[in-house]
Amino acid sequence: MRSTVDSIKERLDIVEVVSSYLKLEKAGQNFKGKCPFHNEKTPSFFVSPSRQSYYCFGCGAKGDIFSIVEEMEGVDFKGALKTLAERAGVELEYSNRGESKSEKDKFYNALEDATIFFQSELEKNTEALKYLESRGVSKDSIKLWRLGFAPSEWRSIFSHLSAVGYSKEVLLKAGLIKQPQKEEKENPQISGEGTPYDVFRGRIIFPIFDVNSKVIAFSGRALEKDTEPKYLNTPETSLFIKSEVLYGLDKAKDEIRKKNYSVLVEGQLDLVLSHQVGVKNVVASSGTAFTQTHLERLKRLSPRLILAFDGDLAGEKAAEKSSILGLSLGMEVKIAELPEGRDPADLSKKDPEEWKEVLRKSTHSIEFVLNKIIKNEKDDRKLGKAINAKVLPLLTLLESSIERSHFVSLISKKSGLKEEIIWDDLRKSKIPDILQIKNVQQTEDIQEEKKDKVHTRREQIEERLEEISFWKGQVDESTKEFEISQKEEVELKQRLTITILEEERSGLQAELARGPNEIEELVQKIHALSQKIDEEKRKIV
């Protein structure tokens, strides 16, 4: 992995990579532009070709080619590695599945050709086009999202792609065809001894894209009412891991970053129609369970999320479950309350302004759950029990004491319960059950990763001072950027002095705890150090 990273860094220049996301202009030996991570009128985001890094004097954002891709694309390091490897022409080893880059390219090509085939079939199918029209999908949206249609024949895509040179193995691994099961071979409709057949038949096709807008899978909606399941996704492949992929993220990521919140809906049509009416920071879970990995991807773009699921009991339960995951990751999670029996697609089609108003009126997930309980439970005793069981566990997920205090006051105000009683029960409350079942190996991996990343306070300050020293040498002394760096450097040096003194004091306190003979001398030294620390702190204030 290390040699691969080095190879990518050797082939790609940071100016070229950053320039693909924002406009840069020459500034001496460096380049500068408006920071993509905060709003600003004057450019304070600098890129250094010599150091192959970037730094923002406004918000302190910093990093290299990998971190800029992670932030801008909303992916983790592996995702950034994959994106940059493709740009650099570096082949990654896929040891977990035994597939090379050339093999994966074949899958991408097969899926792209399948998309073109489905698009051409949609143009021929009046019934499918009428259905999309009846749902309010415009011709521009059909084109933008590359919607298609899979014919009802058992082997249409198999025959088409085989004819243009794709092997059966490639089509199987790409999730386009499937091998008949034992019981299926007796079905007269599946003619051909052991011959694979199409995964998608008689369905409107929604291509699923990765963050680079490459087709990696499909979701098919049955055209006939009696066909089950109503929605069908590509089985998991090396390109398509359901727990990681969000439909529409490739087109929504910039808008999410710009608006600083994302909207999650359940279905593809919900998303397509929402984008169509101008609400473009929307992604969909594509009919699969919403996972922690999905949330982590969204959190990289913005820590704020609105859940806009269908206005029925199932949608309500799904929203509550997803909000627990979001709160556990430190996100601000709101829930949009849709009219009963309506979904985002209905609202977007009939009244786009109502859809936007529903999002504007969304409430914090904790308040949403509380409101539902108060609305449905009229008995005071049962109301208290319901709050204790469903609301207080959510408060345990909040990192901020101020936030917890706010919601305790809100619960008291809305329910009539005394705050001290709520606080007492909150101390006994446990985290929601959904979070208590953890993957042990995953937890160990995270702990190990955190262990590797731990730096002492002193190391962090020294590292930051080194960076500031470098960047001060890159800008003119008369600029605002130099002034900002100078000010931060002075404060950090004062903090470093305090940290060194505190370390020395901690050492003396540890020595004192061991019970030496010179107790009085140690106490005097500790007292003197404490006075020096207080003096240094007053300088900063």
Side-chain angles (χ1 to χ4, degrees):
M1 183 69 79
R2 178 64 189 160
S3 59
T4 303
V5 169
D6 289 340
S7 298
I8 291 170
K9 285 186 172 181
E10 285 170 9
R11 296 190 190 192
L12 294 179
D13 181 71
I14 191 163
V15 176
E16 179 190 345
V17 175
V18 174
S19 293
S20 66
Y21 296 113
L22 61 136
K23 186 180 178 182
L24 294 176
E25 57 185 46
K26 200 84 167 68
Q29 296 179 343
N30 304 301
F31 291 81
K32 68 177 180 178
K34 290 183 181 178
C35 181
F37 307 119
H38 78 285
N39 292 322
E40 61 178 5
K41 292 180 180 178
T42 306
S44 62
F45 185 87
F46 279 72
V47 180
S48 167
S50 63
R51 194 156 178 166
Q52 288 295 297
S53 65
Y54 64 84
Y55 175 69
C56 177
F57 287 92
C59 68
K62 59 180 181 177
D64 59 9
I65 56 173
F66 290 96
S67 50
I68 190 75
V69 172
E70 285 178 44
E71 293 294 335
M72 299 303 290
E73 301 290 353
V75 296
D76 58 10
F77 177 75
K78 287 182 180 177
L81 184 69
K82 180 183 172 186
T83 297
L84 290 170
E86 288 178 0
R87 285 183 70 165
V90 173
E91 186 167 338
L92 295 179
E93 293 180 7
Y94 300 95
S95 54
N96 60 327
R97 292 180 182 262
E99 292 161 358
S100 67
K101 181 179 182 295
S102 59
E103 284 178 304
K104 291 209 169 188
D105 284 341
K106 289 177 184 176
F107 304 156
Y108 279 122
N109 292 337
L111 291 163
E112 175 60 27
D113 286 344
T115 302
I116 294 169
F117 173 79
F118 291 141
Q119 285 179 289
S120 66
E121 289 297 315
L122 177 62
E123 291 173 7
K124 304 173 193 174
N125 194 290
T126 309
E127 188 183 355
L129 286 169
K130 278 184 178 178
Y131 171 78
L132 289 172
E133 186 182 350
S134 72
R135 293 302 307 268
V137 182
S138 68
K139 289 181 180 178
D140 286 342
S141 290
I142 290 173
K143 185 178 179 181
L144 176 65
W145 296 95
R146 305 188 68 187
L147 306 189
F149 180 73
S152 299
E153 290 80 11
W154 283 85
R155 294 182 177 85
S156 61
I157 194 69
F158 184 28
S159 299
H160 173 75
L161 293 179
S162 296
V164 295
Y166 290 101
S167 68
K168 179 176 74 174
E169 288 70 28
V170 166
L171 300 181
L172 283 166
K173 287 183 177 181
L176 288 164
I177 60 174
K178 61 189 290 189
Q179 203 72 43
Q181 299 301 308
K182 203 171 186 180
E183 61 275 11
E184 290 179 320
K185 290 179 183 178
E186 298 175 7
N187 186 338
Q189 291 181 300
I190 309 177
S191 57
E193 186 63 34
T195 306
Y197 59 89
D198 296 353
V199 170
F200 300 100
R201 303 178 309 281
R203 292 177 180 273
I204 291 171
I205 297 296
F206 296 82
I208 297 172
F209 308 93
D210 64 12
V211 290
N212 299 312
S213 296
K214 283 188 175 182
V215 180
I216 54 172
F218 299 103
S219 183
R221 199 245 186 232
L223 193 56
E224 298 296 329
K225 289 182 179 179
D226 298 333
T227 305
E228 291 294 337
K230 185 178 177 181
Y231 283 94
L232 179 67
N233 286 336
T234 296
E236 287 219 347
T237 67
S238 56
L239 300 182
F240 179 53
I241 301 171
K242 294 178 184 179
S243 63
E244 297 179 2
V245 177
L246 285 164
Y247 181 66
L249 185 61
D250 60 311
K251 294 177 179 64
K253 61 190 177 188
D254 292 338
E255 199 71 11
I256 291 171
R257 195 181 291 109
K258 182 180 173 183
K259 290 187 174 178
N260 195 25
Y261 73 94
S262 57
V263 179
L264 179 74
V265 296
E266 289 182 273
Q268 288 91 353
L269 278 174
D270 294 327
L271 179 143
V272 170
L273 287 168
S274 183
H275 278 248
Q276 188 174 295
V277 298
V279 183
K280 298 182 178 181
N281 55 331
V282 178
V283 293
S285 56
S286 293
T288 61
F290 195 44
T291 67
Q292 183 171 317
T293 308
H294 287 143
L295 278 164
E296 287 168 348
R297 298 200 82 169
L298 290 176
K299 189 182 177 184
R300 291 188 192 102
L301 297 170
S302 170
R304 300 168 65 214
L305 170 68
I306 296 178
L307 300 169
F309 294 166
D310 294 355
D312 54 21
L313 188 59
E316 192 178 301
K317 286 184 176 179
E320 288 182 21
K321 182 179 176 183
S322 299
S323 68
I324 290 171
L325 291 173
L327 291 171
S328 72
L329 291 174
M331 296 181 78
E332 178 192 307
V333 186
K334 291 185 174 183
I335 297 177
E337 187 167 11
L338 277 73
E340 193 172 347
R342 307 279 294 279
D343 59 29
D346 296 330
L347 294 179
S348 298
K349 178 191 172 187
K350 293 174 183 175
D351 189 350
E353 288 308 312
E354 185 183 357
W355 166 229
K356 293 171 186 176
E357 187 62 22
V358 163
L359 293 177
R360 277 192 288 268
K361 288 183 176 178
S362 58
T363 55
H364 194 286
S365 56
I366 293 175
E367 187 173 357
F368 179 87
V369 175
L370 175 64
N371 290 343
K372 287 289 179 183
I373 291 172
I374 291 172
K375 181 182 176 182
N376 297 328
E377 192 54 74
K378 304 304 178 187
D379 182 276
D380 288 346
R381 185 169 168 274
K382 289 181 179 178
L383 174 65
K385 282 191 171 184
I387 288 172
N388 196 20
K390 290 188 175 182
V391 182
L392 296 190
L394 300 180
L395 266 66
T396 65
L397 303 175
L398 299 175
E399 295 175 356
S400 167
S401 299
I402 294 171
E403 269 202 293
R404 281 197 294 271
S405 179
H406 164 76
F407 283 110
V408 166
S409 297
L410 186 70
I411 293 166
S412 175
K413 183 181 177 181
K414 290 198 169 194
S415 68
L417 297 169
K418 291 183 179 179
E419 283 194 31
E420 52 266 34
I421 294 173
I422 298 169
W423 278 113
D424 188 45
D425 280 345
L426 180 58
R427 291 184 191 98
K428 303 171 193 171
S429 190
K430 296 179 180 178
I431 62 171
D433 293 339
I434 187 177
L435 297 175
Q436 292 183 18
I437 304 170
K438 290 184 180 287
N439 183 303
V440 176
Q441 184 59 51
Q442 183 183 16
T443 304
E444 288 175 356
D445 289 345
I446 291 169
Q447 288 172 344
E448 197 62 40
E449 188 179 335
K450 284 182 178 176
K451 219 181 284 178
D452 294 340
K453 291 182 179 178
V454 168
H455 293 281
T456 65
R457 173 71 175 153
R458 182 173 177 174
E459 287 171 339
Q460 289 173 341
I461 295 173
E462 288 172 340
E463 185 182 316
R464 185 81 187 102
L465 280 168
E466 187 182 337
E467 286 174 354
I468 289 173
S469 176
F470 167 78
W471 282 106
K472 275 177 66 184
Q474 303 296 305
V475 294
D476 193 273
E477 290 185 18
S478 62
T479 61
K480 185 183 77 172
E481 287 80 16
F482 186 88
E483 185 185 337
I484 291 170
S485 297
Q486 184 87 350
K487 187 178 179 182
E488 187 179 358
E489 185 178 41
V490 170
E491 185 176 325
L492 282 171
K493 282 181 177 178
Q494 290 172 328
R495 291 193 183 282
L496 181 61
T497 301
I498 292 169
T499 302
I500 292 169
L501 291 171
E502 286 176 337
E503 285 180 359
E504 189 178 343
R505 182 175 64 181
S506 296
L508 291 173
Q509 286 171 334
E511 194 177 334
L512 182 63
R514 289 194 290 270
N517 296 326
E518 303 84 4
I519 291 178
E520 190 175 336
E521 184 182 345
L522 281 172
V523 169
Q524 288 175 352
K525 284 182 180 179
I526 291 169
H527 180 67
L529 280 171
S530 296
Q531 284 184 321
K532 281 185 181 180
I533 290 168
D534 289 339
E535 286 171 15
E536 292 295 331
K537 285 182 177 179
R538 279 195 290 273
K539 287 179 186 177
I540 294 175
V541 173

